[in-house]
């Protein structure tokens, strides 16, 4: 009961209920509760997490002294005492408490277990017959790695072992790349104790929180919308006590002996761009479109609401509690993150942000607006440095009432640094990019124009989106079926977000290797072709390897054409593309220099197109005051460009939150 | 016909500090109030004079929702302009919504259930 009280205090609940008692039981290592949950493949840590999702944090108000027991807890305790008496004991044991909770049957933890598809009858039977020594000492499942390119550390191996309890062995066949995050995606074949191979599965290992989000998003957005022939998440996440890693399994149907899935990047390299285009149009878009991207629902949104999250944090500040009176007080989702002009060294106060992530290497904490699972998708991140032992002071999801600090860097500083790393042959501070001979148009400098883009209002389509549709998250299974994995960002969002992410990923990973070199002139050659695709939706010739590879982009644009909110008004897409491409500036570790240069110029091209009216016939209702009613051919005449740039500058009155 | 109208109901509190409490209301004892067309209305909120008073939940509005007993024995649940909404299962309700006994519904942070 002392532990239950502690659970209650942690959640700032000033009462003790069955949920607190149950959480306490799941923390007794080697106990009955842990044992029976694990027997059903339910990680106690995951059960606690799901329970906490149902139990919001309490508030500071206390209505009575001490801890009050809920009526239901009293019922459960009475039941447990009766069970103890039947055994001739005075005090109930852990098992009595657990059985009483299960038999009462109506409490929050029981409802959560039911929602997690636990077999309650079986839990009760196993608990009733549990004895500590009956628990078979768990023999660690041996893990063999077939792919010599794969190295797994001890923590990762432990997660894999726990994902396959009771198996004879697990063979890691292959790594399917880890994408851009630190997550790893593997193909594994489990074997039964008698040596029979079972169906291979895709195993994802990632940071615990990401795994939990993915499972939740899969349940709420994906589970019921999948075609029958795709991979799906099975079971509950595996979380290992005292580790920050978690694991998730995807199963898929595989013909015996048929090769396992490969990702779209490998598929494109093996089969060429036509096969890739075909796969995108017919296997991916046609099959998933019905329940995902084609669920057009018109909505109007500020570009920042869907895209600011892709950019670096609005500010990096260093904690300075004694720095004096802050000039500005910054609250979540304020305009300051897009319009506030900050000086380095300026003292600001942050109020009401939620802790999202930790950067122990620089004593940093990432703060985000809002709370709950969706907060990571909201705009307005701030990084705070100078908090030693941050992980002990805060935990993920805790709300920080106030932090006072000095501005170290602004988002502009971070972006300029990223672009400086591209070794530009132009001044990154100027308004327009100097185009090489042969490219007759001037493009705006994305570093100067992105704040205007964020402020725009556009009418678009809302639908279920994958949220991270890059080439490594699209798998190609036997028979040419497209499968999706990694649903950690899946949500209701701007439909074109997915396709812009995919185009950017194709450009950086599939197209960039076809550039003659990383020289800016060779990158501009690709931009010329991209402009041609944007103007005509096709390429005149595809004889050379670069143009040939770019036919994959033509396929993406064909899909985009079906998803536009206003047919023929492509600005909705170019806004998305410009900001998705700009995000790529921070991928110095995973994307080549050529790839990042290509993305930078793509961002510039998309911004130019987003300001113009590419191929638009009728005027559309989604033009707000920051749009420019000029044709794309006019746009590139430098005078019109300059006018457009000038016009857009008047619209940004600086608004902070003066104290 | 009107004689068939619900005469009593039990609401179980399913979460929070009062989890497990069961509140019985009888029309004959003067609980609730009579609505139009033979309906019986019970109010839910944080205010003392609500039929079901949830004073410990700060996310419950003063007058949060009402339950409407219908002459045919069925129940409707209606939000009365609360700040944080009323939910049946995970769905926020708009307008009067039929409510089956045994289904969980939520006002503020508190889950409730009509007992069968």
């Amino acid at each position: 009961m002392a532990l239950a009280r502690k659970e209650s205090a942690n959640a700032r609940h000033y009462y003790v209920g069955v949920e607190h008692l149950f959480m306490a039981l799941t923390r007794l290592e080697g106990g009955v509760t842990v044992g029976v949950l694990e027997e059903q493949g339910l990680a106690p840590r995951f059960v606690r997490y799901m329970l906490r999702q149902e139990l919001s944090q309490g508030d500071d108000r206390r209505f009575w002294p001490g801890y009050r027991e809920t009526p239901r807890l009293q019922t459960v305790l009475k039941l447990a005492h009766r069970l103890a008496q039947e055994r001739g004991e005075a005090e109930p044991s852990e098992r009595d408490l657990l059985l009483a909770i299960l038999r009462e049957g109506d409490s929050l933890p029981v409802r959560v277990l039911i929602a997690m598809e636990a077999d309650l009858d079986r839990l009760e039977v196993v608990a009733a017959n549990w004895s500590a020594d009956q628990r078979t000492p768990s023999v660690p499942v041996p893990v063999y790695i077939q792919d010599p390119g794969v190295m797994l550390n001890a923590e990762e191996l432990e997660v894999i072992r726990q994902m396959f309890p009771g198996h004879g062995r697990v063979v890691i066949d292959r790594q399917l790349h880890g994408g851009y995050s630190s997550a790893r995606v593997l193909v594994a074949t489990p074997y039964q104790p008698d040596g029979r191979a079972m169906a291979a599965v895709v195993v994802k290992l990632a940071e615990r929180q990401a795994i939990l989000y993915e499972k939740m998003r899969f349940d709420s957005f994906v589970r019921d919308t999948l075609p029958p022939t795709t991979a799906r998440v099975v079971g509950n996440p595996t979380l290992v006590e005292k580790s920050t890693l978690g694991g998730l399994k995807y199963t898929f149907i595989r013909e015996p002996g048929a090769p396992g899935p490969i990702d779209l990047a490998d598929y494109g390299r093996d089969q060429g761009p036509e096969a890739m285009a075909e796969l995108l149009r017919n296997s991916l878009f046609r099959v998933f479109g019905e329940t995902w991207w084609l669920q057009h629902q018109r909505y109007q949104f500020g570009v920042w609401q869907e895209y600011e999250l892709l950019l670096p944090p609005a500010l990096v500040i260093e904690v300075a509690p004694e720095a004096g009176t802050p000039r500005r007080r910054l609250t979540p989702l304020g305009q300051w993150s897009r319009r506030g002009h900050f000086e380095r060294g300026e003292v600001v106060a942050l109020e009401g942000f939620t802790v999202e992530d930790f950067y122990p290497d620089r004593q940093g904490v990432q703060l985000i607006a809002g709370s709950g699972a969706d907060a990571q998708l909201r705009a307005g991140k701030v990084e705070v440095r100078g908090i030693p032992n941050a992980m002990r002071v805060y935990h993920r999801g805790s709300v920080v009432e106030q932090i006072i600090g000095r501005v170290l860097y602004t988002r502009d500083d971070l972006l300029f640094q990223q672009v400086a790393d591209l070794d530009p042959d132009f001044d990154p501070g100027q308004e327009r990019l100097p185009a090489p001979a042969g490219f007759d148009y001037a493009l705006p400098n994305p570093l100067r124009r992105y704040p205007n883009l964020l402020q725009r209002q556009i009418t678009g389509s809302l639908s279920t989106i994958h949220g991270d549709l890059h080439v490594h998250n699209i798998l190609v299974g036997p028979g040419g079926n497209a499968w999706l994995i990694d649903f950690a960002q899946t949500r209701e969002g701007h439909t074109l977000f997915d396709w812009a992410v995919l185009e950017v990923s194709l450009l950086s990973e599939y197209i960039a290797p076809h550039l003659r070199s990383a020289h800016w002139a060779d990158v501009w050659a690709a931009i010329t072709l991209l402009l041609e695709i944007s103007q005509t939706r096709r390429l005149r010739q595809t004889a050379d390897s670069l143009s040939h590879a770019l036919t994959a982009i033509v396929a993406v644009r064909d899909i985009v054409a079906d998803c536009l909110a206003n047919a023929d008004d492509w600005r909705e897409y170019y806004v998305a593309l410009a900001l998705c491409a700009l995000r790529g500036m921070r991928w110095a570790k995973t994307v080549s220099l050529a790839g990042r240069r290509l993305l930078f110029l793509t961002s510039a091209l998309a911004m130019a197109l987003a300001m113009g009216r590419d191929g638009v016939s009728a005027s559309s209702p989604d033009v707000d005051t920051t749009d420019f009613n000029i044709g794309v051919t006019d746009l590139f005449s430098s005078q019109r460009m300059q006018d457009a740039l000038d016009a857009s500058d008047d619209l940004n009155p600086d608004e902070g939150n003066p104290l | 016909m009107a004689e068939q109208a619900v005469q009593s109901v039990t609401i179980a509190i399913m979460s929070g500090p009062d989890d497990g409490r069961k509140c019985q209301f009888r029309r004959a004892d003067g609980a609730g109030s009579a609505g139009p067309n033979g309906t019986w209305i019970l109010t839910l909120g944080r205010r003392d004079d609500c039929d079901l008073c949830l004073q410990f939940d700060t996310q419950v509005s003063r007058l949060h929702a009402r339950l409407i007993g219908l002459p045919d024995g069925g129940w409707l649940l209606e939000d009365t302009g609360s700040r944080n909404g009323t939910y049946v299962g995970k769905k926020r309700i708009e307008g009067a919504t039929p409510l089956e006994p045994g289904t969980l519904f939520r006002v503020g942070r508190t889950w409730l259930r009509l007992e069968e």
Side-chain angles (χ1 to χ4, degrees):
Chain A
M1 278 313 292
L3 282 172
R5 230 170 268 136
K6 197 170 146 233
E7 293 289 342
S8 166
N10 284 346
R12 285 201 271 163
H13 291 152
Y14 291 103
Y15 64 91
V16 188
V18 182
E19 52 273 29
H20 304 115
L21 175 62
F22 184 75
M23 284 212 257
L25 297 183
T26 65
R27 287 191 199 271
L28 300 174
E29 276 181 54
V32 191
T33 313
V34 169
V36 299
L37 288 175
E38 283 179 346
E39 198 263 347
Q40 289 211 4
L42 297 164
R45 194 169 187 169
F46 181 56
V47 176
R48 284 200 298 274
Y49 175 82
M50 294 301 282
L51 199 47
R52 271 198 297 271
Q53 293 298 308
E54 293 294 322
L55 277 172
S56 48
Q57 287 240 327
D59 46 43
D60 291 311
R61 272 196 244 182
R62 253 180 119 125
F63 296 94
W64 48 81
Y67 288 90
R68 201 175 95 158
E69 290 171 0
T70 64
R72 195 181 306 282
L73 180 64
Q74 290 168 353
T75 308
V76 165
L77 292 178
K78 247 182 253 161
L79 210 59
H81 274 281
R82 203 180 313 145
L83 289 170
Q85 277 163 12
E86 283 168 15
R87 291 186 301 111
E89 302 279 336
E91 287 300 314
S93 64
E94 185 204 344
R95 189 216 318 253
D96 296 330
L97 291 168
L98 176 63
L99 285 174
I101 292 173
L102 293 173
R103 287 181 191 167
E104 192 274 340
D106 230 1
S107 60
L108 193 64
V110 169
R111 300 204 301 265
V112 166
L113 286 171
I114 290 171
M116 292 172 74
E117 294 170 11
D119 180 344
L120 288 186
D121 292 339
R122 187 172 165 79
L123 276 180
E124 202 180 313
V125 170
V126 175
N129 297 312
W130 189 266
S131 70
D133 45 275
Q134 158 216 342
R135 192 180 183 188
T136 45
S138 57
V139 182
V141 180
V143 177
Y144 300 97
I145 302 174
Q146 201 153 54
D147 182 341
V150 178
M151 299 278 282
L152 295 172
N153 64 31
E155 225 175 330
E156 291 166 329
L157 282 171
E158 185 54 31
V159 176
I160 293 175
R161 278 190 203 109
Q162 296 210 13
M163 288 176 93
F164 298 95
H167 287 75
R169 66 195 146 106
V170 177
V171 175
I172 306 299
D173 303 321
R174 223 142 34 81
Q175 168 150 310
L176 285 172
H177 202 277
Y180 302 117
S181 56
S182 58
R184 310 184 74 138
V185 184
L186 307 160
V187 180
T189 306
Y191 288 78
Q192 294 196 337
D194 63 11
R196 273 183 300 145
M198 301 172 69
V201 296
V202 172
V203 168
K204 177 168 173 181
L205 304 178
E207 198 272 321
R208 181 174 87 227
Q209 201 65 35
I211 290 286
L212 289 170
Y213 285 153
E214 176 160 3
K215 166 69 177 163
M216 269 197 309
R217 296 214 155 86
F218 181 83
D219 287 346
S220 39
F221 295 109
V222 184
R223 187 196 289 283
D224 302 325
T225 64
L226 289 179
T229 57
T230 190
R232 51 188 70 234
V233 171
V234 280
N236 288 306
T238 303
L239 303 180
V240 180
E241 300 283 337
K242 299 189 181 104
S243 160
T244 59
L245 271 187
L248 207 55
K249 272 185 278 192
Y250 289 84
T251 52
F252 50 88
I253 301 159
R254 188 168 87 156
E255 311 275 315
I262 58 173
D263 71 24
L264 188 65
D266 287 338
Y267 184 76
R269 274 188 283 273
D270 294 352
Q271 308 285 325
E274 288 86 2
M276 195 178 324
E278 171 73 16
L279 182 100
L280 291 175
R281 283 193 198 104
N282 293 331
S283 295
L284 182 64
F285 185 61
R286 196 165 292 167
V287 174
F288 287 83
E290 286 297 306
T291 48
W292 286 44
W293 307 289
L294 286 173
Q295 299 234 310
H296 292 300
Q297 207 185 319
R298 283 172 82 85
Y299 81 128
Q300 201 173 26
F301 62 98
V303 170
W304 65 272
Q305 290 169 294
E306 299 284 341
Y307 292 93
E308 191 179 353
L309 64 102
L310 300 180
L311 299 178
L315 292 174
V316 177
I317 72 166
E318 178 150 56
V319 173
E322 311 299 327
T325 314
R327 237 188 82 202
R328 280 187 269 194
R329 199 175 61 220
L330 310 176
T331 50
L333 302 181
Q335 295 234 351
W336 58 269
S337 76
R338 299 172 295 284
R339 291 182 164 190
H341 292 277
F342 291 88
E343 303 290 331
R344 283 197 201 173
E346 181 181 335
V347 179
V348 295
L350 300 172
E351 295 184 352
F353 284 80
T354 302
V355 174
E356 183 201 31
D357 212 349
F358 297 99
Y359 307 112
D361 51 325
R362 47 185 193 254
Q363 302 190 335
V365 173
Q366 172 132 301
L367 299 180
I368 45 165
S371 61
D374 282 327
Q376 58 158 344
L377 301 172
R378 287 192 205 130
K381 299 181 186 193
V382 181
E383 185 182 326
V384 181
R385 295 189 187 169
I387 309 178
N389 299 318
M391 295 181 79
R392 259 179 254 154
V393 182
Y394 301 112
H395 60 88
R396 271 200 188 79
S398 54
V399 175
V400 183
E401 273 175 32
Q402 193 185 54
I403 287 186
I404 293 176
R406 285 181 204 284
V407 173
L408 282 181
Y409 308 107
T410 63
R411 178 181 288 149
D412 275 347
D413 295 334
L414 300 171
L415 280 170
F416 271 78
Q417 186 52 51
Q418 289 168 359
V419 172
D421 292 343
L422 301 184
D423 197 9
D425 62 353
F426 51 85
D427 167 9
Q430 67 198 23
E431 283 293 333
R432 280 177 284 151
L433 303 180
F439 194 91
D440 297 335
Y441 314 112
L443 298 185
N445 180 353
L447 297 181
R448 302 300 301 266
R449 313 315 310 164
Y450 80 85
N452 295 54
L453 225 52
L454 289 177
Q455 283 301 111
R456 270 167 87 164
Q457 290 283 323
I458 52 179
T459 298
S461 291
L462 186 75
S463 66
T464 302
I465 59 171
H466 179 275
D468 201 9
L469 194 65
H470 58 66
V471 292
H472 303 296
N473 280 339
I474 301 172
L475 302 188
V476 187
N481 289 319
W483 303 336
L484 296 176
I485 56 166
D486 189 354
F487 302 103
Q489 318 270 325
T490 300
R491 60 186 181 270
E492 296 291 305
H494 185 209
T495 305
L496 299 184
F497 184 100
D498 273 352
W499 303 104
V501 167
L502 181 60
E503 177 163 342
V504 161
S505 139
L506 284 168
L507 287 170
S508 62
E509 304 221 14
Y510 183 68
I511 311 290
H514 292 275
L515 295 173
R516 204 177 314 149
S517 78
H519 288 140
W520 284 101
D522 289 322
V523 180
W524 277 101
I527 294 299
T528 309
L529 293 168
L530 215 49
L531 175 62
E532 187 186 328
I533 293 175
S534 303
Q535 287 172 326
T536 65
R537 296 254 318 270
R538 51 188 218 74
L539 286 165
R540 263 166 306 163
Q541 63 82 25
T542 56
D544 63 290
S545 88
L546 178 61
S547 318
H548 189 214
L550 278 163
T551 52
I553 302 295
V554 175
V556 174
R557 300 293 179 94
D558 286 348
I559 292 169
V560 170
D562 285 342
C563 295
L564 292 172
N566 296 312
D568 297 330
D569 186 351
W570 281 73
R571 289 170 307 170
E572 182 195 353
Y573 181 65
Y574 294 130
V575 167
L577 183 61
L579 292 166
C580 287
L582 194 57
R583 165 168 71 159
M585 298 307 98
R586 71 161 192 248
W587 295 331
K589 284 187 193 139
T590 48
V591 173
S592 66
L593 177 64
R596 280 175 290 138
R597 285 180 170 177
L598 178 57
L599 292 187
F600 182 73
L601 294 185
T602 300
S603 181
L605 176 66
M607 273 187 206
L609 295 167
M611 293 193 300
R613 317 213 71 203
D614 180 39
V616 181
S617 45
S619 70
S620 53
D622 62 328
V623 184
D624 84 340
T625 48
T626 52
D627 279 314
F628 315 103
N629 293 311
I630 49 178
V632 72
T633 38
D634 296 342
L635 170 72
F636 294 110
S637 80
S638 50
Q639 189 50 51
R640 293 303 296 266
M641 168 67 83
Q642 195 54 56
D643 293 347
L645 297 178
D646 293 344
S648 63
D649 277 339
D650 306 336
L651 301 162
N652 281 337
D654 188 8
E655 283 172 37
N657 227 339
L659 277 172
Chain B
M1 300 292 279
E3 287 83 298
Q4 305 226 329
V6 225
Q7 294 299 318
S8 76
V9 68
T10 301
I11 303 175
I13 299 180
M14 301 297 292
S15 71
D18 275 333
D19 183 19
R21 197 178 109 201
K22 293 189 176 176
C23 313
Q24 202 185 28
F25 300 93
R26 277 172 203 278
R27 209 166 175 176
D29 299 346
S33 56
N37 304 323
T39 54
W40 180 35
I41 295 173
L42 294 170
T43 53
L44 283 62
R46 216 170 70 222
R47 224 166 50 194
D48 288 349
D49 59 357
C50 286
D51 295 303
L52 181 64
C53 168
L54 299 162
Q55 56 181 321
F56 302 130
D57 186 340
T58 50
Q59 293 196 11
V60 171
S61 297
R62 280 181 283 268
L63 176 60
H64 195 110
R66 54 188 198 160
L67 278 163
I68 305 165
L70 300 174
D72 67 0
W75 286 93
L76 294 176
L77 176 64
E78 187 178 47
D79 190 277
T80 46
S82 73
R83 197 184 148 99
N84 296 311
T86 300
Y87 294 75
V88 173
K90 290 194 168 175
K91 230 183 157 101
R92 185 168 182 159
I93 61 164
E94 286 170 35
T97 304
L99 183 70
E100 293 289 324
T103 306
L104 288 168
F105 64 100
R106 177 164 67 87
V107 295
R109 275 199 291 256
T110 306
W111 285 99
L112 301 167
R113 190 172 73 188
L114 290 189
E115 297 297 81
E116 321 211 15

